Amino acid sequence: MDKRAKVTDAEMGIRTTDNRSRPACPPPGGRLAVVADNIRSAFNSGGIFRTADFFGVERLVLCGYTPGPGNPQVRKTSLGADESVPWEHAGDIRDVIDRLRAGGYAIYALETADGAADISGFTPSFPCALLLGNERFGLDPDVVALADAVLEIPSHGMKNSLNVVSAFAVAAAFFRNSARAGQTSVRK
C-alpha cells in the first residue's frame, strides 16, 4: 500500500478552498478581456474559464463554435469558474474586435506567426483583449491582421506551440506581472 496516499493536503500545507468572493474590480494593472475563437475542445474551453478566473480576467467572449457552460465537459473542467467569470457568446470574432476597439481596448493576438513579438519583451496597454484561436489552426490570418500586436511564446523545444489553455496561462501571467511591475502603457 502506498503510504503517501494517507497524507492529506492540510498536512502538506496545501490550500484547498477557493476564494468565493470574486473581486468587484479588476486586479492591479487594468482590464483584460479574452476572446476565444473556434475552440473545438470543451475541455479546453473549461480550462480557459478556470484560467480566466484565476488571473482575474474581466470577461470572456466565446466566438464561433467554442463550447460554453451549457456543455457538461466545460462545466466539469471549469470547476465552477463558468459561474464566476462574466461571459458571452458571439458569432463572429471580427464583430467582437470592432466592439472592443470602439470601447478603447488594445487588441493582441496570441499566435505563432511570422513577425510575432516575443511576449516577454512586450509592453502591453490597458484595457486590452487577448485573442485565442483554434487548437490546430490558430486564428484566421485576417483576424491576426486586425490585432494591434501579434504575440508569441517562444519555443525552446521541437514543438512550435503549446496547448491553448497552457499558452493562455503563460500569457495571462505575463499580463498580470507586467501590470504589477508597472511595465504597461495606457491606451488612448
Side-chain angles (χ1 to χ4, degrees):
M1 184 165 146
D2 186 357
K3 294 182 184 209
R4 292 177 295 171
K6 294 182 180 182
V7 178
T8 67
D9 287 342
E11 291 170 325
M12 294 175 53
I14 298 172
R15 288 189 306 261
T16 59
T17 56
D18 292 336
N19 175 7
R20 288 294 183 194
S21 59
R22 183 169 168 86
C25 59
R31 296 165 29 214
L32 173 64
V34 173
V35 183
D37 189 40
N38 291 325
I39 303 298
R40 68 176 179 233
S41 165
F43 293 113
N44 281 339
S45 186
I48 290 169
F49 269 97
R50 187 170 178 196
T51 304
D53 176 89
F54 185 85
F55 286 104
V57 166
E58 174 186 61
R59 65 181 151 158
L60 179 57
V61 183
L62 309 177
C63 297
Y65 53 77
T66 302
N71 183 303
Q73 293 171 333
V74 172
R75 292 200 49 91
K76 179 180 181 179
T77 310
S78 76
L79 295 177
D82 59 308
E83 295 176 4
S84 61
V85 175
W87 70 278
E88 67 180 274
H89 187 271
D92 193 307
I93 189 172
R94 292 152 195 84
D95 296 335
V96 174
I97 291 169
D98 289 344
R99 184 169 33 116
L100 287 166
R101 185 168 279 125
Y105 285 72
I107 308 297
Y108 302 128
L110 186 61
E111 188 61 83
T112 53
D114 291 337
D118 179 337
I119 195 167
S120 66
F122 185 73
T123 302
S125 296
F126 288 96
C128 64
L130 183 65
L131 310 179
L132 307 174
N134 178 276
E135 297 91 335
R136 182 169 179 205
F137 303 109
L139 293 161
D140 287 343
D142 67 309
V143 170
V144 173
L146 295 173
D148 296 312
V150 181
L151 308 174
E152 71 176 345
I153 301 163
S155 169
H156 299 282
M158 290 176 44
K159 291 297 183 184
N160 74 340
S161 67
L162 290 167
N163 167 276
V164 66
V165 179
S166 298
F168 169 42
V170 170
F174 163 77
F175 280 97
R176 289 299 172 225
N177 289 336
S178 294
R180 209 176 351 257
Q183 299 168 335
T184 65
S185 61
V186 178
R187 180 136 171 106
K188 303 215 192 263

